[in-house]
Amino acid sequence: MGLKNNLFRLKVFLKDSDKKPIILILKEFFKLWYLKGRFPIHYIGRFLYRKQFKNPEDFMDMHEYRSFIYAKKNNQEEYVNLLANKFLFSLVCEKYKIPTPYVIGHNNANLFFLDYNIIQINTIDEMVVFFQNLFEKYEITTLFIKSFCGYGGRQVLVLELNNLNDQLASFGKLLFQDSYIFQEGIVQHEELNSIYSISINTLRVETYIDNQSKTHVLGTTLRFGSAGNKIDNISSGGIFVPVNSKTGRLVGNGMQSMIYGGAVHYSHPDTDKTFHDFQIPFFKESLELSKVLTKYIPNKLAGWDIAITPIGPVVIEGNHLPMITLGEIGYQGYVKHPLYKEMMSNL
């Protein structure tokens, strides 16, 4: 799979119409190899060969990136557990009244927990009845079903009242094989809906706690679903757009990961709404919410997924292994960040 993916990335690179002149590409590539002392595979995989990236040496290479996000000093076990387990994370938010979608119930294989009741469910038909009763009691039409420890949008299912039977026939057996939380749907801000309304389009805020215990926002990215997808994760084909972390405005074009073809989008392909200069509603409040979260779950490095509702931000989840390469694009390279030396010294 690794070789196949790398060959696909090479194909994307060769066909990319936004490449710099080949002489400049070779010059930058070998300069990075000399400066870092390592083969700069990130130059291709992170699109640094494209015309928009003027200073590739300002970006962390794969060795720096992996060393930083996996560093034990940045990931204390007690906090990692709270971030990795969505059920535990929701309990922390509930305990400290941090705005987050309400967890209505959960399951552990065929044991379903709802309103202090434990119900054993053995068939899909019984599962249909369970969720019908849940939808009716809570007067909702949509549920997000998430694996306790799923990552990158994997094992995130959207269950809808008007399609209940077909959906459970399709993925109901998965619930019997794992543990999931049942989370209420949220109402997304109309300005984000105007760009893409099928998914909840989340703001990823990357935070770092320095050696003096002060929280800093490293970078921010806004992510959108596309092509009818109800999930906005990049690993599921979503589009990411860099954000100016000072103003909360989108910067430049949207992009998809190279494994999904690396397409560049001036506007959203489903709605033709322009990305550049779009002002994210409640942006300052979203940054503040992220900083509050670091007080209760003080992992030195974290990525917070924030959804924007008509009345303000809510946190969807936290991540102890955030893909900081996205926020780095908005910042135009973390190597020139004032905290870079400290960040690297903690490895």
Side-chain angles (χ1 to χ4, degrees):
M1 181 61 74
L3 176 60
K4 183 179 179 180
N5 286 345
N6 286 334
L7 289 174
F8 182 80
R9 291 185 178 96
L10 180 60
K11 182 179 179 180
V12 170
F13 164 71
L14 293 173
K15 290 187 174 183
D16 199 328
S17 61
D18 196 37
K19 291 195 298 288
K20 300 170 185 174
I22 188 63
I23 296 299
L24 180 56
I25 288 176
L26 291 172
K27 180 180 178 180
E28 290 180 344
F29 186 87
F30 284 104
K31 181 181 179 181
L32 283 175
W33 199 343
Y34 171 77
L35 290 174
K36 302 289 187 179
R38 293 178 289 269
F39 187 78
I41 191 172
H42 70 295
Y43 183 77
I44 302 297
R46 296 179 59 197
F47 305 111
L48 299 181
Y49 62 82
R50 284 180 173 168
K51 297 171 185 176
Q52 72 183 89
F53 295 104
K54 306 300 182 184
N55 299 297
E57 64 272 15
D58 289 338
F59 288 79
M60 301 169 72
D61 68 12
M62 288 305 297
H63 175 77
E64 292 169 311
Y65 164 73
R66 290 181 178 277
S67 298
F68 180 54
I69 67 167
Y70 290 113
K72 290 185 178 180
K73 289 185 178 179
N74 292 338
N75 295 290
Q76 294 176 251
E77 184 176 359
E78 58 268 36
Y79 304 136
V80 168
N81 289 334
L82 294 178
L83 291 169
N85 187 301
K86 293 179 176 60
F87 188 44
L88 293 179
F89 180 77
S90 69
L91 293 177
V92 172
C93 291
E94 180 181 342
K95 168 74 174 178
Y96 295 108
K97 296 180 172 55
I98 296 171
T100 192
Y102 178 60
V103 174
I104 296 174
H106 67 281
N107 79 295
N108 180 12
N110 69 335
L111 296 180
F112 285 64
F113 299 77
L114 181 68
D115 298 334
Y116 302 102
N117 296 314
I118 303 175
I119 306 168
Q120 182 170 324
I121 294 178
N122 298 310
T123 68
I124 297 298
D125 288 340
E126 291 175 352
M127 189 184 294
V128 169
V129 173
F130 171 86
F131 281 111
Q132 283 176 334
N133 292 335
L134 185 154
F135 279 121
E136 181 179 346
K137 178 173 183 178
Y138 285 89
E139 299 181 341
I140 57 175
T141 59
T142 303
L143 269 182
F144 281 84
I145 299 180
K146 303 177 181 180
S147 172
F148 272 34
C149 296
Y151 184 75
R154 298 174 182 87
Q155 291 180 295
V156 175
L157 309 167
V158 181
L159 188 62
E160 298 168 323
L161 177 60
N162 63 5
N163 197 25
L164 190 60
N165 291 70
D166 290 343
Q167 287 182 313
L168 290 179
S170 173
F171 60 68
K173 290 182 179 179
L174 291 175
L175 274 64
F176 287 139
Q177 299 169 11
D178 204 347
S179 297
Y180 291 82
I181 62 170
F182 314 143
Q183 202 170 51
E184 68 176 350
I186 66 171
V187 178
Q188 182 166 244
H189 196 288
E190 61 180 9
E191 292 185 26
L192 288 169
N193 275 335
S194 71
I195 297 180
Y196 187 74
S197 62
I198 298 176
S199 71
I200 300 299
N201 308 305
T202 55
L203 177 68
R204 167 60 66 87
V205 181
E206 301 163 2
T207 57
Y208 176 75
I209 302 174
D210 68 20
N211 292 339
Q212 285 71 48
S213 299
K214 181 180 179 181
T215 298
H216 301 264
V217 173
L218 293 179
T220 49
T221 309
L222 188 58
R223 303 174 302 181
F224 295 92
S226 66
N229 200 333
K230 298 175 183 178
I231 304 298
D232 69 346
N233 295 78
I234 307 308
S235 57
S236 300
I239 298 170
F240 67 94
V241 190
V243 177
N244 183 317
S245 293
K246 293 182 179 179
T247 65
R249 291 187 178 275
L250 300 188
V251 181
N253 299 322
M255 290 187 285
Q256 290 177 286
S257 72
M258 184 167 274
I259 202 62
Y260 280 91
V264 176
H265 301 282
Y266 173 76
S267 57
H268 196 287
D270 292 56
T271 61
D272 204 32
K273 294 289 186 179
T274 301
F275 290 129
H276 182 68
D277 213 35
F278 172 80
Q279 177 65 57
I280 300 172
F282 295 109
F283 181 73
K284 289 183 179 179
E285 291 85 350
S286 298
L287 299 190
E288 287 304 313
L289 175 58
S290 299
K291 291 180 179 179
V292 167
L293 283 157
T294 67
K295 303 300 181 185
Y296 295 105
I297 309 179
N299 209 51
K300 283 185 71 70
L301 177 65
W304 310 101
D305 292 340
I306 307 295
I308 311 298
T309 77
I311 60 173
V314 298
V315 60
I316 301 298
E317 62 183 54
N319 300 271
H320 68 285
L321 297 175
M323 191 165 61
I324 62 171
T325 54
L326 302 184
E328 190 178 20
I329 292 175
Y331 193 84
Q332 285 296 297
Y334 284 155
V335 172
K336 61 184 176 64
H337 196 288
L339 286 170
Y340 173 74
K341 290 184 177 180
E342 178 185 310
M343 289 156 59
M344 292 297 105
S345 69
N346 284 330
L347 305 184

